[in-house]
Amino acid sequence: MPKLDAAQRFKAELLNVSSKAALAELLVEACAAMGCSWFALTHHIDFLAGPEKGVRLHNYPEEWVRWFDEQGLGVNDPVHRASQRRAAGFLWHEMGTFSRPRRGDRAILARARHHGIYDGLTIPTHIPGEAHGSVSFAWSRGSSATPEALMFAQSLGAFVFEAARQLSGGGAANDPPRLTDRQIECLLWAARGKSDSVIAQIMNLRTDTVSEHLRNARSRYDARSRISLAIRALFDGTICFGDIAKG
Amino acid sequence: MPKLDAAQRFKAELLNVSSKAALAELLVEACAAMGCSWFALTHHIDFLAGPEKGVRLHNYPEEWVRWFDEQGLGVNDPVHRASQRRAAGFLWHEMGTFSRPRRGDRAILARARHHGIYDGLTIPTHIPGEAHGSVSFAWSRGSSATPEALMFAQSLGAFVFEAARQLSGGGAANDPPRLTDRQIECLLWAARGKSDSVIAQIMNLRTDTVSEHLRNARSRYDARSRISLAIRALFDGTICFGDIAKG
DNA sequence: CCCGCCATACCAAGAAAGGGGGGTATTTTA
DNA sequence: TAAAATACCCCCCTTTCTTGGTATGGCGGG
């Protein structure tokens, strides 16, 4: 297993990549260093735009990817789902300890094995309001993802992500709508399930004023319902679960 | 500089910490391994109101912290600001290359030096919609944060974050309600902002059936509104942002 | 200095949607 | 075989969303 200084050489090269091809090449090298067969990088910029806008790079077997795409999986498979709820990297075979399995998950994993993909690890990375993604490395039959590999991948993951971020146009791309203080306050109460009139009582305002704040917030997010508003604001970090739970 | 296997031992211990004191002790050890003087861990679940709700752990000089708090800094200092817009860890003295300095930043950094803090590095970590945080390590005069230390810290950062997350009650959820397939399907459309009648058209059902599914889902979550339902289901992982974005 | 822009707060009316309550009847599954 | 899950139906009230307004105070550019 590679040492820290190997990781550092990768890091230096990652920060200088100028094309997807170069990035892919580096990831192949990382695979070699860890003794695994495949890598997959997803970097998806905008909640609304879907994954087309980000970077998607991998060397998975074509048939597996075709099946995966045909099924309309994408962010629906257990690995991606788990990566949305974690800060730290994880081994696929330990996923069950922190992510609740869903019906159909086993079928997906079985299908992956059918294509030779037996085990793997994933490093999630998130930047609030900008991009979310992950880097995965996958092993074929006979070998499996080790804690050592996880450590190595963990030290690289964030830099892979930064490289992808640069390739897809950098951080300046999309800043989320800004809400005013009052709009956020109203939104938080709404996210707690309060009606406009109750919010008005709480905030000592007229009901119409509350409606007005939420209306303006919706229009800034181009959201037609308060539920879309809440979820988009949650996704981009304008509000967070802690804010909501607090009330 | 420590090797990857040292990082791994830290990781194993991090995942087992049961108190803030134990976590602090581990971070002191990490400092020793890197040759730095101070660590600072912020894990803010609530980032408008300040860090009271999350975990805040550090061994900075008391006077520095007192000044920092009195100034009402918090997320306003250059390091924290940079950490909100980065996925990868960074050295403080390289911050200028990716984060535009703000008026007052220099004064803050000068003040830190006045308290002995000359250089450092920070590893940001984020989980969309849940928590934002960072781990920093700081060096006193004469030494400085090196790329090697950054690599080491990067490999640990996410696990430190997960440890803090567990301590603040984020990770361990008591078993959440289970929704049926149809309930989840309806909920996802609702979370995308669709009305019951529209959902019914999409799913080829009567409007009442959709309302029924959502009513049952609400009752399982003991939620009075669909917005509470959606947010709680999001929080416990029954649905995730990716699911919602997909539609 | 005035002007526009924005945040804030308030008002009203009507159409659409959500939520609570009561039902019935199949099919699947444990 | 009993319990769920699924699908459908009704009524009634509340809430949300949309579309029109008015008015105040702050802040920066010309």
Side-chain angles (χ1 to χ4, degrees), chain A residues 72-96:
Chain A
L73 298 172
V75 267
N76 226 14
D77 85 305
V79 170
H80 273 106
R81 231 174 48 237
S83 83
Q84 296 225 333
R85 312 281 315 164
R86 281 277 289 199
F90 55 88
L91 303 175
W92 293 355
H93 62 255
E94 287 175 353
M95 219 160 41

mmCIF file of all heavy atoms in Angstrom, chain A residues 72-96:
data_model
loop_
_atom_site.group_PDB
_atom_site.id
_atom_site.type_symbol
_atom_site.label_atom_id
_atom_site.label_comp_id
_atom_site.label_asym_id
_atom_site.label_seq_id
_atom_site.Cartn_x
_atom_site.Cartn_y
_atom_site.Cartn_z
ATOM 1 N N GLY A 72 -31.894 4.069 -14.960
ATOM 2 C CA GLY A 72 -32.162 5.383 -14.392
ATOM 3 C C GLY A 72 -31.676 5.477 -12.956
ATOM 4 O O GLY A 72 -32.214 6.229 -12.164
ATOM 5 N N LEU A 73 -30.695 4.683 -12.612
ATOM 6 C CA LEU A 73 -30.149 4.789 -11.256
ATOM 7 C C LEU A 73 -29.460 6.143 -11.172
ATOM 8 O O LEU A 73 -30.102 7.125 -11.309
ATOM 9 C CB LEU A 73 -29.208 3.625 -10.957
ATOM 10 C CG LEU A 73 -29.978 2.290 -11.014
ATOM 11 C CD1 LEU A 73 -29.041 1.119 -10.928
ATOM 12 C CD2 LEU A 73 -30.981 2.221 -9.876
ATOM 13 N N GLY A 74 -28.185 6.200 -11.077
ATOM 14 C CA GLY A 74 -27.612 7.526 -10.947
ATOM 15 C C GLY A 74 -27.388 7.772 -9.492
ATOM 16 O O GLY A 74 -26.571 7.112 -8.878
ATOM 17 N N VAL A 75 -28.143 8.711 -8.951
ATOM 18 C CA VAL A 75 -27.947 8.982 -7.538
ATOM 19 C C VAL A 75 -28.784 8.066 -6.660
ATOM 20 O O VAL A 75 -28.907 8.284 -5.468
ATOM 21 C CB VAL A 75 -28.262 10.443 -7.213
ATOM 22 C CG1 VAL A 75 -26.991 11.249 -7.284
ATOM 23 C CG2 VAL A 75 -29.280 11.001 -8.148
ATOM 24 N N ASN A 76 -29.344 7.043 -7.261
ATOM 25 C CA ASN A 76 -30.281 6.212 -6.508
ATOM 26 C C ASN A 76 -29.647 4.953 -5.927
ATOM 27 O O ASN A 76 -30.261 4.277 -5.114
ATOM 28 C CB ASN A 76 -31.433 5.813 -7.422
ATOM 29 C CG ASN A 76 -32.751 5.994 -6.739
ATOM 30 O OD1 ASN A 76 -32.812 6.642 -5.702
ATOM 31 N ND2 ASN A 76 -33.778 5.416 -7.286
ATOM 32 N N ASP A 77 -28.445 4.662 -6.341
ATOM 33 C CA ASP A 77 -27.886 3.413 -5.855
ATOM 34 C C ASP A 77 -27.345 3.609 -4.448
ATOM 35 O O ASP A 77 -27.099 4.732 -4.015
ATOM 36 C CB ASP A 77 -26.829 2.891 -6.835
ATOM 37 C CG ASP A 77 -25.481 3.497 -6.599
ATOM 38 O OD1 ASP A 77 -25.404 4.749 -6.604
ATOM 39 O OD2 ASP A 77 -24.522 2.765 -6.409
ATOM 40 N N PRO A 78 -27.212 2.511 -3.726
ATOM 41 C CA PRO A 78 -26.900 2.613 -2.300
ATOM 42 C C PRO A 78 -25.613 3.381 -2.000
ATOM 43 O O PRO A 78 -25.545 4.108 -1.009
ATOM 44 C CB PRO A 78 -26.792 1.152 -1.854
ATOM 45 C CG PRO A 78 -26.748 0.324 -3.091
ATOM 46 C CD PRO A 78 -27.436 1.117 -4.139
ATOM 47 N N VAL A 79 -24.640 3.237 -2.873
ATOM 48 C CA VAL A 79 -23.365 3.912 -2.626
ATOM 49 C C VAL A 79 -23.523 5.428 -2.700
ATOM 50 O O VAL A 79 -23.093 6.162 -1.812
ATOM 51 C CB VAL A 79 -22.288 3.426 -3.623
ATOM 52 C CG1 VAL A 79 -21.056 4.297 -3.538
ATOM 53 C CG2 VAL A 79 -21.934 1.975 -3.360
ATOM 54 N N HIS A 80 -24.173 5.880 -3.750
ATOM 55 C CA HIS A 80 -24.373 7.320 -3.868
ATOM 56 C C HIS A 80 -25.249 7.853 -2.754
ATOM 57 O O HIS A 80 -25.045 8.949 -2.248
ATOM 58 C CB HIS A 80 -24.972 7.671 -5.232
ATOM 59 C CG HIS A 80 -23.949 7.873 -6.282
ATOM 60 N ND1 HIS A 80 -23.712 6.965 -7.285
ATOM 61 C CD2 HIS A 80 -23.048 8.871 -6.467
ATOM 62 C CE1 HIS A 80 -22.725 7.405 -8.047
ATOM 63 N NE2 HIS A 80 -22.303 8.545 -7.578
ATOM 64 N N ARG A 81 -26.234 7.057 -2.381
ATOM 65 C CA ARG A 81 -27.124 7.505 -1.316
ATOM 66 C C ARG A 81 -26.346 7.675 -0.017
ATOM 67 O O ARG A 81 -26.493 8.668 0.693
ATOM 68 C CB ARG A 81 -28.253 6.496 -1.139
ATOM 69 C CG ARG A 81 -29.613 7.131 -1.145
ATOM 70 C CD ARG A 81 -30.720 6.100 -1.110
ATOM 71 N NE ARG A 81 -30.521 5.110 -0.100
ATOM 72 C CZ ARG A 81 -30.457 3.803 -0.333
ATOM 73 N NH1 ARG A 81 -30.558 3.347 -1.565
ATOM 74 N NH2 ARG A 81 -30.287 2.965 0.651
ATOM 75 N N ALA A 82 -25.507 6.692 0.268
ATOM 76 C CA ALA A 82 -24.711 6.773 1.498
ATOM 77 C C ALA A 82 -23.760 7.959 1.444
ATOM 78 O O ALA A 82 -23.533 8.640 2.453
ATOM 79 C CB ALA A 82 -23.931 5.479 1.700
ATOM 80 N N SER A 83 -23.227 8.233 0.265
ATOM 81 C CA SER A 83 -22.230 9.297 0.171
ATOM 82 C C SER A 83 -22.841 10.669 0.398
ATOM 83 O O SER A 83 -22.145 11.627 0.669
ATOM 84 C CB SER A 83 -21.512 9.251 -1.182
ATOM 85 O OG SER A 83 -22.273 9.911 -2.166
ATOM 86 N N GLN A 84 -24.167 10.742 0.292
ATOM 87 C CA GLN A 84 -24.823 12.030 0.547
ATOM 88 C C GLN A 84 -24.980 12.312 2.025
ATOM 89 O O GLN A 84 -25.339 13.409 2.424
ATOM 90 C CB GLN A 84 -26.200 12.027 -0.101
ATOM 91 C CG GLN A 84 -26.120 11.906 -1.598
ATOM 92 C CD GLN A 84 -27.041 12.860 -2.273
ATOM 93 O OE1 GLN A 84 -28.059 13.257 -1.734
ATOM 94 N NE2 GLN A 84 -26.683 13.286 -3.467
ATOM 95 N N ARG A 85 -24.783 11.298 2.830
ATOM 96 C CA ARG A 85 -25.043 11.455 4.251
ATOM 97 C C ARG A 85 -23.784 11.275 5.075
ATOM 98 O O ARG A 85 -23.850 11.057 6.267
ATOM 99 C CB ARG A 85 -26.077 10.412 4.718
ATOM 100 C CG ARG A 85 -27.305 10.324 3.842
ATOM 101 C CD ARG A 85 -28.278 11.411 4.094
ATOM 102 N NE ARG A 85 -28.489 11.633 5.513
ATOM 103 C CZ ARG A 85 -29.050 12.710 6.016
ATOM 104 N NH1 ARG A 85 -29.433 13.660 5.223
ATOM 105 N NH2 ARG A 85 -29.210 12.830 7.298
ATOM 106 N N ARG A 86 -22.638 11.311 4.417
ATOM 107 C CA ARG A 86 -21.402 11.073 5.130
ATOM 108 C C ARG A 86 -20.381 12.143 4.819
ATOM 109 O O ARG A 86 -20.362 12.711 3.730
ATOM 110 C CB ARG A 86 -20.797 9.737 4.685
ATOM 111 C CG ARG A 86 -21.433 8.547 5.299
ATOM 112 C CD ARG A 86 -20.876 8.265 6.665
ATOM 113 N NE ARG A 86 -19.512 7.752 6.602
ATOM 114 C CZ ARG A 86 -18.945 7.107 7.599
ATOM 115 N NH1 ARG A 86 -19.594 6.907 8.719
ATOM 116 N NH2 ARG A 86 -17.710 6.680 7.489
ATOM 117 N N ALA A 87 -19.535 12.397 5.765
ATOM 118 C CA ALA A 87 -18.398 13.266 5.524
ATOM 119 C C ALA A 87 -17.174 12.429 5.190
ATOM 120 O O ALA A 87 -16.386 12.790 4.327
ATOM 121 C CB ALA A 87 -18.142 14.120 6.751
ATOM 122 N N ALA A 88 -17.022 11.304 5.865
ATOM 123 C CA ALA A 88 -15.830 10.490 5.697
ATOM 124 C C ALA A 88 -16.050 9.384 4.670
ATOM 125 O O ALA A 88 -17.178 8.977 4.413
ATOM 126 C CB ALA A 88 -15.431 9.874 7.032
ATOM 127 N N GLY A 89 -14.960 8.933 4.108
ATOM 128 C CA GLY A 89 -15.021 7.826 3.176
ATOM 129 C C GLY A 89 -15.440 6.537 3.864
ATOM 130 O O GLY A 89 -15.353 6.417 5.087
ATOM 131 N N PHE A 90 -15.897 5.586 3.076
ATOM 132 C CA PHE A 90 -16.362 4.327 3.662
ATOM 133 C C PHE A 90 -16.114 3.162 2.709
ATOM 134 O O PHE A 90 -16.012 3.344 1.500
ATOM 135 C CB PHE A 90 -17.848 4.412 4.003
ATOM 136 C CG PHE A 90 -18.712 4.798 2.836
ATOM 137 C CD1 PHE A 90 -19.230 3.830 1.978
ATOM 138 C CD2 PHE A 90 -18.992 6.132 2.578
ATOM 139 C CE1 PHE A 90 -20.016 4.184 0.886
ATOM 140 C CE2 PHE A 90 -19.778 6.489 1.480
ATOM 141 C CZ PHE A 90 -20.286 5.524 0.633
ATOM 142 N N LEU A 91 -15.991 1.985 3.300
ATOM 143 C CA LEU A 91 -15.878 0.754 2.513
ATOM 144 C C LEU A 91 -17.283 0.251 2.206
ATOM 145 O O LEU A 91 -18.149 0.252 3.088
ATOM 146 C CB LEU A 91 -15.105 -0.303 3.314
ATOM 147 C CG LEU A 91 -13.704 0.117 3.779
ATOM 148 C CD1 LEU A 91 -13.089 -0.962 4.669
ATOM 149 C CD2 LEU A 91 -12.805 0.397 2.584
ATOM 150 N N TRP A 92 -17.491 -0.182 0.983
ATOM 151 C CA TRP A 92 -18.846 -0.597 0.598
ATOM 152 C C TRP A 92 -19.378 -1.707 1.490
ATOM 153 O O TRP A 92 -20.551 -1.718 1.834
ATOM 154 C CB TRP A 92 -18.866 -1.051 -0.864
ATOM 155 C CG TRP A 92 -18.603 0.059 -1.831
ATOM 156 C CD1 TRP A 92 -18.448 1.392 -1.528
ATOM 157 C CD2 TRP A 92 -18.458 -0.046 -3.245
ATOM 158 N NE1 TRP A 92 -18.208 2.102 -2.674
ATOM 159 C CE2 TRP A 92 -18.212 1.258 -3.742
ATOM 160 C CE3 TRP A 92 -18.511 -1.113 -4.147
ATOM 161 C CZ2 TRP A 92 -18.022 1.504 -5.096
ATOM 162 C CZ3 TRP A 92 -18.329 -0.858 -5.493
ATOM 163 C CH2 TRP A 92 -18.089 0.438 -5.964
ATOM 164 N N HIS A 93 -18.499 -2.614 1.878
ATOM 165 C CA HIS A 93 -19.024 -3.734 2.657
ATOM 166 C C HIS A 93 -19.327 -3.345 4.103
ATOM 167 O O HIS A 93 -19.822 -4.160 4.874
ATOM 168 C CB HIS A 93 -18.086 -4.948 2.574
ATOM 169 C CG HIS A 93 -16.715 -4.707 3.135
ATOM 170 N ND1 HIS A 93 -15.613 -4.529 2.336
ATOM 171 C CD2 HIS A 93 -16.279 -4.605 4.404
ATOM 172 C CE1 HIS A 93 -14.545 -4.346 3.091
ATOM 173 N NE2 HIS A 93 -14.922 -4.380 4.355
ATOM 174 N N GLU A 94 -19.029 -2.109 4.458
ATOM 175 C CA GLU A 94 -19.387 -1.645 5.799
ATOM 176 C C GLU A 94 -20.536 -0.648 5.754
ATOM 177 O O GLU A 94 -20.911 -0.069 6.766
ATOM 178 C CB GLU A 94 -18.179 -0.986 6.474
ATOM 179 C CG GLU A 94 -17.112 -1.975 6.902
ATOM 180 C CD GLU A 94 -15.877 -1.281 7.458
ATOM 181 O OE1 GLU A 94 -15.813 -0.041 7.382
ATOM 182 O OE2 GLU A 94 -14.992 -1.990 7.957
ATOM 183 N N MET A 95 -21.087 -0.473 4.574
ATOM 184 C CA MET A 95 -22.107 0.548 4.360
ATOM 185 C C MET A 95 -23.324 0.341 5.254
ATOM 186 O O MET A 95 -23.931 1.291 5.717
ATOM 187 C CB MET A 95 -22.533 0.518 2.899
ATOM 188 C CG MET A 95 -22.775 1.847 2.287
ATOM 189 S SD MET A 95 -22.694 1.713 0.492
ATOM 190 C CE MET A 95 -23.541 0.186 0.150
ATOM 191 N N GLY A 96 -23.654 -0.932 5.470
ATOM 192 C CA GLY A 96 -24.848 -1.242 6.236
ATOM 193 C C GLY A 96 -24.850 -0.697 7.656
ATOM 194 O O GLY A 96 -25.908 -0.523 8.250
#
